[in-house]
């Protein structure tokens, strides 16, 4: 455990903030030891995976714990199914690549999402028409309250129902917030009869560009990687955390009223509600590519806020996001919600 430790290398925004205590754990035993120490000091906890969905707005006066638990195992279920279990500290994209090498299908549309496996259930990561809930079997968690009370059954298993997944949402962002550490996640994948989903976004046209008519799961992954690399800034080059806001869902009546005023407004109907692309709203409000001080909205994707100079503070990025929220609200009467976890 180290004191007054810089978290700059552990957040993809690349902002400077220090943690009062920092430790990296590679096993459940090490994690429990660290938690016992933090409990005796009654320190607030911050778990860190890949740091690609956090914005550190100030120094963290508590115990930051980097979860570096590694290992992947599998269990063949039947001719067409396999359960693949990965520990929290495994890199997400490397897990996707591991599965594709073995020809296990289900994760290909989620290629190249930054971050770690242990965080994937937090916001039910999703891209190109797939969310992890579509292939999720279960996850093993450590119940922090039970651990504090020295309960012998602090380890629990959450199935699909218990996780209450929604759009970029799960129980871990609500009642479960701060109560559990996700230790490993199990996915149910296909071995032969794969479902190929190329309907979303530009996957089809990218496959055409690649000259592929009958795509395999590996081809879909390649197409997704190409699209993502052409559209999204690489956090290793420009600090960012991907989409900063969720796509808002508004009542159909509100959408219809907006359509009279803004005839180009886009929306994806879902019952009595319509999901509106936040990127479009932000762009229409004049923010695409705009920079204030060290912070900007990305020139190719307005939804992505970037640390444009590399010197932005978390507070500057937060304030910039507040200005976008106000501006979109003024123009459209829609309140954007941040997807990134504000620390
Ligand atoms: C360029 C870019 C593109 C992106 N594209 C997408 C996308 O297409 N779809 C998508 O869904 N997301 C996307 N993201 C967001 C991000 O990749 C995901 O949210 C990812 O799951 C975050 O993982 P992480 O390990 O980096 O999380 P972190 O940032 O380390 O943590 C996020 C939150 O989870 C908590 N946490 C971390 N690990 C655990 C654990 N094991 N148990 C309990 N709590 C934990 C942290 O305290 C924090 O509150 C993108 C990000 C970037 C930078």
């Amino acid at each position: 455990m180290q004191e007054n430790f810089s978290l700059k290398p552990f957040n993809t925004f690349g902002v400077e903030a220090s943690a009062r205590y920092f430790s990296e754990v590679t096993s459940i035993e090490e994690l429990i030891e660290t938690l016992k120490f933090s409990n005796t000091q009654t320190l607030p906890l911050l778990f860190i995976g890949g740091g690609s969905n956090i914005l550190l707005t100030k120094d963290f006066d508590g115990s930051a714990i980097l979860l570096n638990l590694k290992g992947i195992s599998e269990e063949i279920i039947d001719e067409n199914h396999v359960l693949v279990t990965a520990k929290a500290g495994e890199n997400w994209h490397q897990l996707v690549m591991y599965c594709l090498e073995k020809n296990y299908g289900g994760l290909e549309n989620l290629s190249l999402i930054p971050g770690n496996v242990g965080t994937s259930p937090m916001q039910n990561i999703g891209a190109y028409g797939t969310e992890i809930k579509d292939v999720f079997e279960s996850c093993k968690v450590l119940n922090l309250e039970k651990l504090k009370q020295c309960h012998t059954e602090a380890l629990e298993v959450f199935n699909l129902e218990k996780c209450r997944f929604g759009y970029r949402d799960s129980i871990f962002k609500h009642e479960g917030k701060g109560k559990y550490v996700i230790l490993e996640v199990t996915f149910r994948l296909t071995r032969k009869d794969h479902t190929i989903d190329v309907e979303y976004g530009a996957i089809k046209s990218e496959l055409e560009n690649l000259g592929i008519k009958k795509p395999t799961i590996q081809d879909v992954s390649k197409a997704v990687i190409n699209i993502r690399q052409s559209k999204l800034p690489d956090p290793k080059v420009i600090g960012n955390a991907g989409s900063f806001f969720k796509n808002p869902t508004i009542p159909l009546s509100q959408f219809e009223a907006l359509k009279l005023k803004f005839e180009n407004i886009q929306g994806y109907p879902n019952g009595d509600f319509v999901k509106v692309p936040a990127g479009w709203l932000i762009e229409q409000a004049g923010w695409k590519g705009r920079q204030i001080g060290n912070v900007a909205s990305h020139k190719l994707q307005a939804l992505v806020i970037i640390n444009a100079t590399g010197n932005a503070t978390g507070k500057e990025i937060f304030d910039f996001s507040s200005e976008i929220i106000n501006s979109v609200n003024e123009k459209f009467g829609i309140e954007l919600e941040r997807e990134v976890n504000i620390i």
Side-chain angles (χ1 to χ4, degrees), residues 139-327:
C139 61
K140 192 194 267 183
V141 305
L142 185 64
N143 182 323
L144 296 173
E145 281 172 6
K146 285 190 180 171
L147 185 76
K148 233 186 221 171
Q149 296 152 9
C150 297
H151 205 292
T152 47
E153 284 164 21
L155 286 178
E156 295 176 18
V157 174
F158 275 43
N159 64 12
L160 181 69
E161 199 186 339
K162 208 167 167 191
C163 286
R164 279 198 258 132
F165 290 125
Y167 162 62
R168 299 292 185 274
D169 210 11
S170 74
I171 189 169
F172 303 109
K173 284 190 136 187
H174 301 280
E175 302 95 287
K177 195 170 178 175
K179 278 196 195 157
Y180 304 100
V181 192
I182 300 166
L183 301 172
E184 63 181 43
V185 189
T186 301
F187 302 96
R188 177 178 282 262
L189 305 175
T190 48
R191 298 173 62 210
K192 292 194 312 196
D193 302 330
H194 305 308
T195 305
I196 305 281
D197 183 1
V198 295
E199 290 310 312
Y200 197 95
I203 302 185
K204 257 189 198 160
S205 60
E206 182 56 27
L207 288 167
E208 272 166 29
N209 290 344
L210 295 170
I212 295 163
K213 289 203 174 76
K214 276 191 145 190
T216 60
I217 49 174
Q218 290 77 10
D219 295 330
V220 173
S221 167
K222 180 84 194 112
V224 167
I225 289 172
N226 287 356
I227 301 165
R228 291 184 71 101
Q229 282 176 336
S230 70
K231 275 177 48 177
L232 289 168
D234 180 352
K236 288 194 192 95
V237 183
I238 304 177
N240 76 90
S243 305
F244 200 91
F245 304 98
K246 289 184 183 184
N247 292 317
T249 299
I250 59 173
L252 185 59
S253 53
Q254 186 183 1
F255 182 76
E256 279 165 356
L258 282 169
K259 185 104 187 142
L260 295 175
K261 215 167 150 198
F262 307 98
E263 57 183 30
N264 291 332
I265 191 167
Q266 299 161 19
Y268 302 94
N270 184 5
D272 291 341
F273 292 88
V274 179
K275 192 187 270 183
V276 183
W280 187 87
L281 297 169
I282 296 167
E283 190 177 338
Q284 296 303 307
W287 285 88
K288 192 174 185 181
R290 187 162 158 201
Q291 182 165 344
I292 300 179
N294 295 305
V295 188
S297 151
H298 192 253
K299 60 180 188 305
L300 296 179
Q301 175 51 271
L303 193 49
V304 177
I305 296 182
I306 57 171
N307 180 352
T309 61
N311 297 319
T313 62
K315 165 109 180 24
E316 269 181 284
I317 296 172
F318 182 82
D319 291 346
F320 187 90
S321 71
S322 299
E323 291 211 36
I324 292 182
I325 292 173
N326 292 340
S327 176

Side-chain angles (χ1 to χ4, degrees), residues 47 49-53 67 114-116 119 123 125-126 182 228 240-242 341:
F47 298 105
S52 65
N53 203 17
L67 296 163
N116 288 356
T119 331
Q123 68 161 13
I125 57 167
I182 300 166
R228 291 184 71 101
N240 76 90
N341 297 280

